Amino acid sequence: MSKDSSGSSLHRSFCRLCYNACDMDVTVVDGKVTKVRGHPENPVYQGFTCLKGRVQPELLRSPERLLHSRRRLPDGSHDTVAFDAAVQDIAARLGRIRDSHGPDAIAFYYGTMATNGVLTRAVLTALRTAIGSRLIFSPATVDKAGKQVAAALHGRWGAPPSGYSEPEIAVLVGINPLVSYQGAPRGNPGKWLRAQAERGMHLAVIDPRRTETARRADTFLQPRPGHDTAILAAMLHVVLAEGLHDAEFVARHVEGVERLRRAVAGFDPATVAREADLDEEALVSLARRFGSTRRGYVSVGTGPNMSGPGTLVEYLALCLDTLCGHVTREGEVVSSAPALLPAGPYHARMTPPWRGADLEPRMPAAGLSTSAAGPPIAGLPAEMAAGHVRALVSCGGNPASAWPGQRAVVSALAGLDLLVQVDPFMSNTARLADYVIAPRMPLETAEMTQHLDMMSALSIGYGVEESYAQHTAAVVDPPAGSEVVEEWRFYFEVGRAMGLQLLLPRAGAAPHRLDMDRAPEAEELLDLLAEGARIELDVVRAADGGSRYPLPENRVLPAEPGWTGKADVGNARMMAALTAPAEPTTTDPSDLRLIPRRVQHVFNSSHHHPSTAHGGLDNPAFLHPQDLLERGLAPGDAVVVASTVGSLRTTVRPDPSLRRGVVSMTHCYGGLPDDESDTTPGVNLGLIVGLETLQPYTGQPVMSNIAVSVTRAP
Ligand code: SF4
């Protein structure tokens, strides 16, 4: 921290409004944050922040911010409640529900915002475990369940992905790192892509929309929605038919190649290109280029993951990388080794597949089971309606806006015996909640970037390029006169009031028995969670800012003697799904298909706030100008967008970057359904995207490539 003569002080911190964790300079005057800017000398971020991060002074001082917790009254309104009183009543009610209906009658949900909160997730997990509930839900089963299930069906290399280390090629399928900060390393995606282009990396983007990233691509394929599996299968067809794969690597580490070869035999590029409306030569050329590289990656985004065969798309992407030997090889340095978690040892071998679906706990009312991505959110409304789940504790997200099937979700949430929402604003879910716990906001809390290490292990597309870490102390105190608490403290106090012993889960050490006689400090918990990390947290603290933590001698070791595990690129269920694609596709140019659209000024269901609204808080339907013209529609016209699930009213806007036949809208907008008094801008896609059609394996709702009509509103 530095201070000048005017009393203004400058602090290093990092942003926690999304998982990109931008390193920031925070100006504080009279105890208030007045300005946030990217720290210019950070080697990874190079001064980068987005609009959301920079408006934190306005978010902190927003008149809509909750400065005290709220309790719902019988008439549906909320009044202020003291934190201690809220904790005591919540603990008593949770205890009664657990005693009467069992621990699985209490469910927990953490949204995307909680992904960045290492303390929040750890203490929440400690509370859930002490209660005995197995029902912890996350957005993984809304937009990317296929990633973890595909990894389980395929197997995993014994070292972190190599994709970001001097790639020769990157293939981005339905992913736009310049807006979502996924598909390129955490940090500054624009500068990273430019640097890779200067190195000679070939950037290929496959997307129905010419996105911000697609405009920089060397190869851009703009297919009809619903053809992602066929396109990746055609690439595999070319790679295998022309023998471009890394035969030596495959012979040693991979099985199922002949099954895969037979399954992709029917995906000849000419047919696939014709049906997807692509240039055949461009598709074949991309496959050949990919097959001849030994460093690179495929990364699949939420669009394909939200479509019917999300798991299959992810599986085929893994197959492409594996066949081409895109792994960190024996003797190579593991550049992305975790900093704030234990690292290695890493071995040059494949962990064979493990069970990724049909797991416990089951959700009998919904007829669903758990997958490697967790229990499916799609099952919760049915379990709630059946009385199996009677309480939900939710943080870091906004289920009433984020989960598809909005009417069913809202009805189920409203019928709970107890709904607790931790939220700095009166979101849709907060409005339904029995208790709304007012939390501190990020710059008022201490934290570390351990989540970057956790996400690096999840899949290519989420991690860092090089080992990196940052710690931040709380930069400012909460507003005077407020009673806002660190989120983790709420879970600790509920556990204490229930008479539970909380065990803090840790990646690098045994669970730690928290002293329930006194509330711990945040820094104390951070130290406990970082125990066993490759880099001591005190070293990261002392750096006062984000730094790289390379460890040159951290090399991939040979496989252990006698190791026989192999990846499987010919999983029977995946091959069966490939030869009988479940996804509806269309070649009729007059059909319209709904696809998701990420926008810079909100983060899923969070930050829908006027201060970030430079892009508007409405949620128009974007169509190609020619599609508007053919329907006699002009920009701004009011329309009805309808699917088999329902309909919504919005306005239309032209977007020439879309291909014809596509309607592009953003999830998580709008207020509560059927509430005439609700003046929340925008409209929620959960009115036309429901819980009726679920992906196999994961139970994730199909939320993309949905047939819709767009007609002038009466
Ligand atoms: S919200 Fe913006 S500033 Fe904050 S971490 Fe994400 S990209 Fe960075």
Side-chain angles (χ1 to χ4, degrees), residues 14-24 36 38 45 48-56 113 116 179-181 187 189 451 600 602-603 607:
F14 67 89
C15 181
R16 285 151 272 171
L17 296 195
C18 87
Y19 29 54
N20 202 40
C22 297
D23 187 353
M24 305 184 311
V36 169
Y45 295 85
F48 179 77
T49 53
C50 80
L51 169 69
K52 297 186 291 292
R54 292 193 297 273
V55 300
Q56 287 185 77
M113 281 285 287
N116 326 316
V179 171
S180 69
Y181 310 104
H451 73 284
Q600 185 72 264
V602 301
F603 184 51
H607 317 317

mmCIF file of all heavy atoms in Angstrom, residues 14-24 36 38 45 48-56 113 116 179-181 187 189 451 600 602-603 607, ligand 1:
data_model
loop_
_atom_site.group_PDB
_atom_site.id
_atom_site.type_symbol
_atom_site.label_atom_id
_atom_site.label_comp_id
_atom_site.label_asym_id
_atom_site.label_seq_id
_atom_site.Cartn_x
_atom_site.Cartn_y
_atom_site.Cartn_z
ATOM 1 N N PHE A 14 -7.016 -8.139 -5.998
ATOM 2 C CA PHE A 14 -7.436 -8.758 -7.256
ATOM 3 C C PHE A 14 -8.951 -8.856 -7.290
ATOM 4 O O PHE A 14 -9.611 -8.905 -6.259
ATOM 5 C CB PHE A 14 -6.756 -10.111 -7.504
ATOM 6 C CG PHE A 14 -7.135 -11.221 -6.557
ATOM 7 C CD1 PHE A 14 -8.217 -12.040 -6.813
ATOM 8 C CD2 PHE A 14 -6.381 -11.456 -5.417
ATOM 9 C CE1 PHE A 14 -8.553 -13.067 -5.950
ATOM 10 C CE2 PHE A 14 -6.705 -12.483 -4.545
ATOM 11 C CZ PHE A 14 -7.800 -13.294 -4.813
ATOM 12 N N CYS A 15 -9.473 -8.851 -8.505
ATOM 13 C CA CYS A 15 -10.913 -8.810 -8.700
ATOM 14 C C CYS A 15 -11.503 -10.199 -8.491
ATOM 15 O O CYS A 15 -10.932 -11.193 -8.917
ATOM 16 C CB CYS A 15 -11.222 -8.310 -10.107
ATOM 17 S SG CYS A 15 -12.987 -8.182 -10.437
ATOM 18 N N ARG A 16 -12.673 -10.218 -7.872
ATOM 19 C CA ARG A 16 -13.357 -11.494 -7.660
ATOM 20 C C ARG A 16 -14.761 -11.473 -8.244
ATOM 21 O O ARG A 16 -15.628 -12.222 -7.838
ATOM 22 C CB ARG A 16 -13.391 -11.799 -6.160
ATOM 23 C CG ARG A 16 -12.027 -12.251 -5.649
ATOM 24 C CD ARG A 16 -11.803 -11.911 -4.206
ATOM 25 N NE ARG A 16 -11.233 -10.590 -4.040
ATOM 26 C CZ ARG A 16 -11.089 -9.986 -2.871
ATOM 27 N NH1 ARG A 16 -11.486 -10.592 -1.777
ATOM 28 N NH2 ARG A 16 -10.557 -8.773 -2.800
ATOM 29 N N LEU A 17 -14.977 -10.559 -9.189
ATOM 30 C CA LEU A 17 -16.306 -10.496 -9.803
ATOM 31 C C LEU A 17 -16.478 -11.540 -10.896
ATOM 32 O O LEU A 17 -17.579 -11.780 -11.371
ATOM 33 C CB LEU A 17 -16.582 -9.098 -10.351
ATOM 34 C CG LEU A 17 -16.641 -7.971 -9.310
ATOM 35 C CD1 LEU A 17 -17.260 -6.729 -9.905
ATOM 36 C CD2 LEU A 17 -17.400 -8.381 -8.060
ATOM 37 N N CYS A 18 -15.386 -12.106 -11.385
ATOM 38 C CA CYS A 18 -15.473 -13.340 -12.162
ATOM 39 C C CYS A 18 -14.195 -14.104 -11.857
ATOM 40 O O CYS A 18 -13.356 -13.644 -11.095
ATOM 41 C CB CYS A 18 -15.681 -13.088 -13.659
ATOM 42 S SG CYS A 18 -14.176 -12.841 -14.633
ATOM 43 N N TYR A 19 -14.021 -15.271 -12.474
ATOM 44 C CA TYR A 19 -12.891 -16.109 -12.088
ATOM 45 C C TYR A 19 -11.576 -15.704 -12.740
ATOM 46 O O TYR A 19 -10.571 -16.372 -12.578
ATOM 47 C CB TYR A 19 -13.180 -17.583 -12.369
ATOM 48 C CG TYR A 19 -14.114 -17.805 -13.524
ATOM 49 C CD1 TYR A 19 -13.851 -17.258 -14.769
ATOM 50 C CD2 TYR A 19 -15.288 -18.528 -13.351
ATOM 51 C CE1 TYR A 19 -14.723 -17.448 -15.820
ATOM 52 C CE2 TYR A 19 -16.167 -18.721 -14.404
ATOM 53 C CZ TYR A 19 -15.881 -18.182 -15.635
ATOM 54 O OH TYR A 19 -16.747 -18.363 -16.678
ATOM 55 N N ASN A 20 -11.543 -14.583 -13.483
ATOM 56 C CA ASN A 20 -10.300 -14.206 -14.151
ATOM 57 C C ASN A 20 -9.275 -13.616 -13.181
ATOM 58 O O ASN A 20 -8.087 -13.599 -13.463
ATOM 59 C CB ASN A 20 -10.585 -13.216 -15.286
ATOM 60 C CG ASN A 20 -9.477 -13.199 -16.327
ATOM 61 O OD1 ASN A 20 -8.943 -14.245 -16.672
ATOM 62 N ND2 ASN A 20 -9.109 -12.021 -16.802
ATOM 63 N N ALA A 21 -9.732 -13.111 -12.036
ATOM 64 C CA ALA A 21 -8.841 -12.677 -10.951
ATOM 65 C C ALA A 21 -7.843 -11.601 -11.378
ATOM 66 O O ALA A 21 -6.642 -11.693 -11.095
ATOM 67 C CB ALA A 21 -8.099 -13.880 -10.357
ATOM 68 N N CYS A 22 -8.324 -10.556 -12.052
ATOM 69 C CA CYS A 22 -7.425 -9.501 -12.537
ATOM 70 C C CYS A 22 -6.744 -8.774 -11.380
ATOM 71 O O CYS A 22 -7.396 -8.378 -10.406
ATOM 72 C CB CYS A 22 -8.215 -8.494 -13.368
ATOM 73 S SG CYS A 22 -8.922 -9.220 -14.848
ATOM 74 N N ASP A 23 -5.455 -8.558 -11.529
ATOM 75 C CA ASP A 23 -4.649 -7.838 -10.541
ATOM 76 C C ASP A 23 -4.975 -6.345 -10.656
ATOM 77 O O ASP A 23 -4.921 -5.781 -11.754
ATOM 78 C CB ASP A 23 -3.168 -8.097 -10.856
ATOM 79 C CG ASP A 23 -2.232 -7.548 -9.798
ATOM 80 O OD1 ASP A 23 -2.694 -6.846 -8.873
ATOM 81 O OD2 ASP A 23 -1.019 -7.818 -9.903
ATOM 82 N N MET A 24 -5.297 -5.719 -9.512
ATOM 83 C CA MET A 24 -5.824 -4.359 -9.590
ATOM 84 C C MET A 24 -5.105 -3.409 -8.642
ATOM 85 O O MET A 24 -4.657 -3.804 -7.567
ATOM 86 C CB MET A 24 -7.314 -4.353 -9.195
ATOM 87 C CG MET A 24 -8.166 -5.300 -9.997
ATOM 88 S SD MET A 24 -9.919 -5.177 -9.576
ATOM 89 C CE MET A 24 -9.882 -5.267 -7.829
ATOM 90 N N VAL A 36 -10.712 1.877 -9.448
ATOM 91 C CA VAL A 36 -10.086 0.563 -9.643
ATOM 92 C C VAL A 36 -9.516 0.520 -11.048
ATOM 93 O O VAL A 36 -10.217 0.818 -12.018
ATOM 94 C CB VAL A 36 -11.133 -0.568 -9.460
ATOM 95 C CG1 VAL A 36 -10.559 -1.897 -9.927
ATOM 96 C CG2 VAL A 36 -11.578 -0.677 -8.011
ATOM 97 N N GLY A 38 -6.504 -1.771 -13.626
ATOM 98 C CA GLY A 38 -5.604 -2.911 -13.718
ATOM 99 C C GLY A 38 -4.185 -2.495 -13.368
ATOM 100 O O GLY A 38 -3.751 -1.399 -13.738
ATOM 101 N N TYR A 45 -1.472 -10.096 -16.602
ATOM 102 C CA TYR A 45 -2.661 -9.293 -16.939
ATOM 103 C C TYR A 45 -2.301 -8.026 -17.712
ATOM 104 O O TYR A 45 -3.128 -7.487 -18.439
ATOM 105 C CB TYR A 45 -3.438 -8.945 -15.663
ATOM 106 C CG TYR A 45 -4.013 -10.174 -14.994
ATOM 107 C CD1 TYR A 45 -3.249 -10.931 -14.109
ATOM 108 C CD2 TYR A 45 -5.298 -10.603 -15.275
ATOM 109 C CE1 TYR A 45 -3.758 -12.066 -13.511
ATOM 110 C CE2 TYR A 45 -5.823 -11.742 -14.686
ATOM 111 C CZ TYR A 45 -5.048 -12.470 -13.798
ATOM 112 O OH TYR A 45 -5.555 -13.604 -13.217
ATOM 113 N N PHE A 48 -4.802 -5.363 -17.510
ATOM 114 C CA PHE A 48 -6.161 -5.645 -17.974
ATOM 115 C C PHE A 48 -7.168 -5.689 -16.826
ATOM 116 O O PHE A 48 -6.921 -6.266 -15.770
ATOM 117 C CB PHE A 48 -6.202 -6.988 -18.710
ATOM 118 C CG PHE A 48 -7.584 -7.346 -19.181
ATOM 119 C CD1 PHE A 48 -8.121 -6.750 -20.300
ATOM 120 C CD2 PHE A 48 -8.359 -8.249 -18.470
ATOM 121 C CE1 PHE A 48 -9.407 -7.047 -20.721
ATOM 122 C CE2 PHE A 48 -9.642 -8.558 -18.884
ATOM 123 C CZ PHE A 48 -10.168 -7.960 -20.013
ATOM 124 N N THR A 49 -8.305 -5.058 -17.041
ATOM 125 C CA THR A 49 -9.532 -5.288 -16.261
ATOM 126 C C THR A 49 -10.681 -5.080 -17.226
ATOM 127 O O THR A 49 -10.508 -4.478 -18.283
ATOM 128 C CB THR A 49 -9.718 -4.275 -15.104
ATOM 129 O OG1 THR A 49 -9.612 -2.964 -15.641
ATOM 130 C CG2 THR A 49 -8.748 -4.488 -13.976
ATOM 131 N N CYS A 50 -11.846 -5.548 -16.876
ATOM 132 C CA CYS A 50 -13.016 -5.263 -17.703
ATOM 133 C C CYS A 50 -13.892 -4.253 -16.976
ATOM 134 O O CYS A 50 -13.648 -3.892 -15.823
ATOM 135 C CB CYS A 50 -13.791 -6.548 -18.019
ATOM 136 S SG CYS A 50 -14.858 -7.103 -16.681
ATOM 137 N N LEU A 51 -14.939 -3.848 -17.661
ATOM 138 C CA LEU A 51 -15.857 -2.850 -17.110
ATOM 139 C C LEU A 51 -16.381 -3.257 -15.733
ATOM 140 O O LEU A 51 -16.442 -2.438 -14.809
ATOM 141 C CB LEU A 51 -17.023 -2.683 -18.096
ATOM 142 C CG LEU A 51 -18.216 -1.877 -17.603
ATOM 143 C CD1 LEU A 51 -17.829 -0.421 -17.457
ATOM 144 C CD2 LEU A 51 -19.381 -2.031 -18.567
ATOM 145 N N LYS A 52 -16.724 -4.545 -15.583
ATOM 146 C CA LYS A 52 -17.319 -4.986 -14.311
ATOM 147 C C LYS A 52 -16.350 -4.745 -13.159
ATOM 148 O O LYS A 52 -16.730 -4.282 -12.089
ATOM 149 C CB LYS A 52 -17.672 -6.479 -14.378
ATOM 150 C CG LYS A 52 -18.700 -6.830 -15.415
ATOM 151 C CD LYS A 52 -19.119 -8.277 -15.328
ATOM 152 C CE LYS A 52 -18.047 -9.253 -15.738
ATOM 153 N NZ LYS A 52 -17.700 -9.218 -17.159
ATOM 154 N N GLY A 53 -15.091 -5.083 -13.394
ATOM 155 C CA GLY A 53 -14.108 -4.895 -12.332
ATOM 156 C C GLY A 53 -13.914 -3.431 -11.987
ATOM 157 O O GLY A 53 -13.750 -3.073 -10.818
ATOM 158 N N ARG A 54 -13.957 -2.581 -13.002
ATOM 159 C CA ARG A 54 -13.644 -1.162 -12.774
ATOM 160 C C ARG A 54 -14.782 -0.398 -12.106
ATOM 161 O O ARG A 54 -14.560 0.676 -11.564
ATOM 162 C CB ARG A 54 -13.269 -0.497 -14.108
ATOM 163 C CG ARG A 54 -11.959 -0.997 -14.691
ATOM 164 C CD ARG A 54 -11.488 -0.107 -15.818
ATOM 165 N NE ARG A 54 -12.405 -0.089 -16.933
ATOM 166 C CZ ARG A 54 -12.405 -0.947 -17.949
ATOM 167 N NH1 ARG A 54 -11.521 -1.927 -17.970
ATOM 168 N NH2 ARG A 54 -13.275 -0.850 -18.939
ATOM 169 N N VAL A 55 -16.016 -0.922 -12.175
ATOM 170 C CA VAL A 55 -17.125 -0.173 -11.549
ATOM 171 C C VAL A 55 -17.346 -0.596 -10.097
ATOM 172 O O VAL A 55 -18.374 -0.250 -9.507
ATOM 173 C CB VAL A 55 -18.451 -0.315 -12.343
ATOM 174 C CG1 VAL A 55 -18.295 0.207 -13.751
ATOM 175 C CG2 VAL A 55 -18.961 -1.739 -12.324
ATOM 176 N N GLN A 56 -16.390 -1.274 -9.513
ATOM 177 C CA GLN A 56 -16.603 -1.710 -8.130
ATOM 178 C C GLN A 56 -16.849 -0.565 -7.152
ATOM 179 O O GLN A 56 -17.605 -0.743 -6.196
ATOM 180 C CB GLN A 56 -15.458 -2.608 -7.672
ATOM 181 C CG GLN A 56 -15.555 -3.970 -8.337
ATOM 182 C CD GLN A 56 -14.534 -4.959 -7.852
ATOM 183 O OE1 GLN A 56 -14.665 -5.514 -6.792
ATOM 184 N NE2 GLN A 56 -13.509 -5.161 -8.661
ATOM 185 N N MET A 113 -20.198 -16.959 -8.912
ATOM 186 C CA MET A 113 -19.457 -15.968 -8.124
ATOM 187 C C MET A 113 -18.711 -16.621 -6.964
ATOM 188 O O MET A 113 -17.666 -16.146 -6.537
ATOM 189 C CB MET A 113 -20.424 -14.917 -7.580
ATOM 190 C CG MET A 113 -20.818 -13.871 -8.588
ATOM 191 S SD MET A 113 -19.483 -12.709 -8.866
ATOM 192 C CE MET A 113 -19.541 -11.783 -7.344
ATOM 193 N N ASN A 116 -14.904 -18.163 -7.104
ATOM 194 C CA ASN A 116 -13.692 -17.403 -6.793
ATOM 195 C C ASN A 116 -13.465 -17.278 -5.292
ATOM 196 O O ASN A 116 -12.431 -16.789 -4.875
ATOM 197 C CB ASN A 116 -13.784 -15.988 -7.370
ATOM 198 C CG ASN A 116 -14.539 -15.974 -8.668
ATOM 199 O OD1 ASN A 116 -14.308 -16.827 -9.493
ATOM 200 N ND2 ASN A 116 -15.444 -15.040 -8.841
ATOM 201 N N VAL A 179 -14.610 -12.402 -24.277
ATOM 202 C CA VAL A 179 -15.750 -11.997 -23.450
ATOM 203 C C VAL A 179 -15.903 -12.903 -22.228
ATOM 204 O O VAL A 179 -16.213 -12.448 -21.132
ATOM 205 C CB VAL A 179 -17.054 -11.995 -24.282
ATOM 206 C CG1 VAL A 179 -18.273 -11.784 -23.397
ATOM 207 C CG2 VAL A 179 -16.990 -10.883 -25.328
ATOM 208 N N SER A 180 -15.642 -14.201 -22.405
ATOM 209 C CA SER A 180 -15.912 -15.134 -21.299
ATOM 210 C C SER A 180 -14.674 -15.451 -20.469
ATOM 211 O O SER A 180 -14.792 -16.034 -19.400
ATOM 212 C CB SER A 180 -16.470 -16.445 -21.853
ATOM 213 O OG SER A 180 -15.466 -17.144 -22.585
ATOM 214 N N TYR A 181 -13.461 -15.115 -20.963
ATOM 215 C CA TYR A 181 -12.207 -15.424 -20.256
ATOM 216 C C TYR A 181 -12.026 -16.926 -20.077
ATOM 217 O O TYR A 181 -11.417 -17.388 -19.127
ATOM 218 C CB TYR A 181 -12.122 -14.666 -18.916
ATOM 219 C CG TYR A 181 -12.429 -13.215 -19.134
ATOM 220 C CD1 TYR A 181 -13.655 -12.688 -18.770
ATOM 221 C CD2 TYR A 181 -11.529 -12.396 -19.797
ATOM 222 C CE1 TYR A 181 -13.972 -11.370 -19.057
ATOM 223 C CE2 TYR A 181 -11.837 -11.086 -20.091
ATOM 224 C CZ TYR A 181 -13.056 -10.576 -19.721
ATOM 225 O OH TYR A 181 -13.372 -9.285 -20.025
ATOM 226 N N GLY A 187 -6.044 -14.279 -17.526
ATOM 227 C CA GLY A 187 -5.150 -13.132 -17.662
ATOM 228 C C GLY A 187 -5.713 -12.139 -18.648
ATOM 229 O O GLY A 187 -6.821 -11.637 -18.464
ATOM 230 N N PRO A 189 -6.718 -12.080 -22.305
ATOM 231 C CA PRO A 189 -6.892 -12.946 -23.481
ATOM 232 C C PRO A 189 -6.534 -12.254 -24.792
ATOM 233 O O PRO A 189 -6.002 -12.893 -25.704
ATOM 234 C CB PRO A 189 -8.378 -13.329 -23.435
ATOM 235 C CG PRO A 189 -9.028 -12.350 -22.523
ATOM 236 C CD PRO A 189 -7.970 -11.880 -21.565
ATOM 237 N N HIS A 451 -8.328 -20.679 -6.405
ATOM 238 C CA HIS A 451 -9.307 -21.185 -7.376
ATOM 239 C C HIS A 451 -8.694 -21.314 -8.773
ATOM 240 O O HIS A 451 -9.125 -22.154 -9.562
ATOM 241 C CB HIS A 451 -10.541 -20.279 -7.415
ATOM 242 C CG HIS A 451 -10.316 -18.958 -8.088
ATOM 243 N ND1 HIS A 451 -9.636 -17.918 -7.491
ATOM 244 C CD2 HIS A 451 -10.659 -18.519 -9.311
ATOM 245 C CE1 HIS A 451 -9.590 -16.902 -8.326
ATOM 246 N NE2 HIS A 451 -10.203 -17.232 -9.433
ATOM 247 N N GLN A 600 -20.462 -8.753 -22.041
ATOM 248 C CA GLN A 600 -19.350 -8.323 -21.207
ATOM 249 C C GLN A 600 -19.799 -7.698 -19.886
ATOM 250 O O GLN A 600 -19.105 -7.793 -18.881
ATOM 251 C CB GLN A 600 -18.541 -7.296 -22.020
ATOM 252 C CG GLN A 600 -17.286 -6.796 -21.402
ATOM 253 C CD GLN A 600 -16.192 -7.842 -21.382
ATOM 254 O OE1 GLN A 600 -16.005 -8.521 -20.397
ATOM 255 N NE2 GLN A 600 -15.464 -7.963 -22.482
ATOM 256 N N VAL A 602 -22.323 -8.238 -17.772
ATOM 257 C CA VAL A 602 -22.861 -9.016 -16.655
ATOM 258 C C VAL A 602 -22.062 -10.313 -16.576
ATOM 259 O O VAL A 602 -21.355 -10.685 -17.513
ATOM 260 C CB VAL A 602 -24.364 -9.342 -16.814
ATOM 261 C CG1 VAL A 602 -25.185 -8.080 -16.919
ATOM 262 C CG2 VAL A 602 -24.611 -10.239 -18.016
ATOM 263 N N PHE A 603 -22.186 -11.004 -15.446
ATOM 264 C CA PHE A 603 -21.514 -12.288 -15.297
ATOM 265 C C PHE A 603 -22.588 -13.300 -14.909
ATOM 266 O O PHE A 603 -22.976 -13.393 -13.753
ATOM 267 C CB PHE A 603 -20.426 -12.191 -14.232
ATOM 268 C CG PHE A 603 -19.621 -13.455 -14.080
ATOM 269 C CD1 PHE A 603 -19.050 -14.065 -15.178
ATOM 270 C CD2 PHE A 603 -19.419 -14.020 -12.837
ATOM 271 C CE1 PHE A 603 -18.310 -15.219 -15.046
ATOM 272 C CE2 PHE A 603 -18.668 -15.171 -12.691
ATOM 273 C CZ PHE A 603 -18.116 -15.779 -13.798
ATOM 274 N N HIS A 607 -24.238 -9.125 -11.312
ATOM 275 C CA HIS A 607 -23.837 -7.804 -11.819
ATOM 276 C C HIS A 607 -24.841 -7.218 -12.802
ATOM 277 O O HIS A 607 -24.470 -6.456 -13.693
ATOM 278 C CB HIS A 607 -22.447 -7.828 -12.471
ATOM 279 C CG HIS A 607 -21.439 -8.621 -11.713
ATOM 280 N ND1 HIS A 607 -21.332 -8.549 -10.351
ATOM 281 C CD2 HIS A 607 -20.521 -9.516 -12.124
ATOM 282 C CE1 HIS A 607 -20.382 -9.371 -9.955
ATOM 283 N NE2 HIS A 607 -19.884 -9.975 -10.998
HETATM 284 S S1 SF4 B 1 -14.915 -9.195 -13.753
HETATM 285 FE FE1 SF4 B 1 -13.532 -8.239 -15.241
HETATM 286 S S2 SF4 B 1 -11.996 -7.198 -13.996
HETATM 287 FE FE2 SF4 B 1 -13.016 -8.694 -12.687
HETATM 288 S S3 SF4 B 1 -11.804 -10.572 -12.821
HETATM 289 FE FE3 SF4 B 1 -13.395 -10.718 -14.362
HETATM 290 S S4 SF4 B 1 -12.427 -9.931 -16.242
HETATM 291 FE FE4 SF4 B 1 -11.183 -9.218 -14.511
#
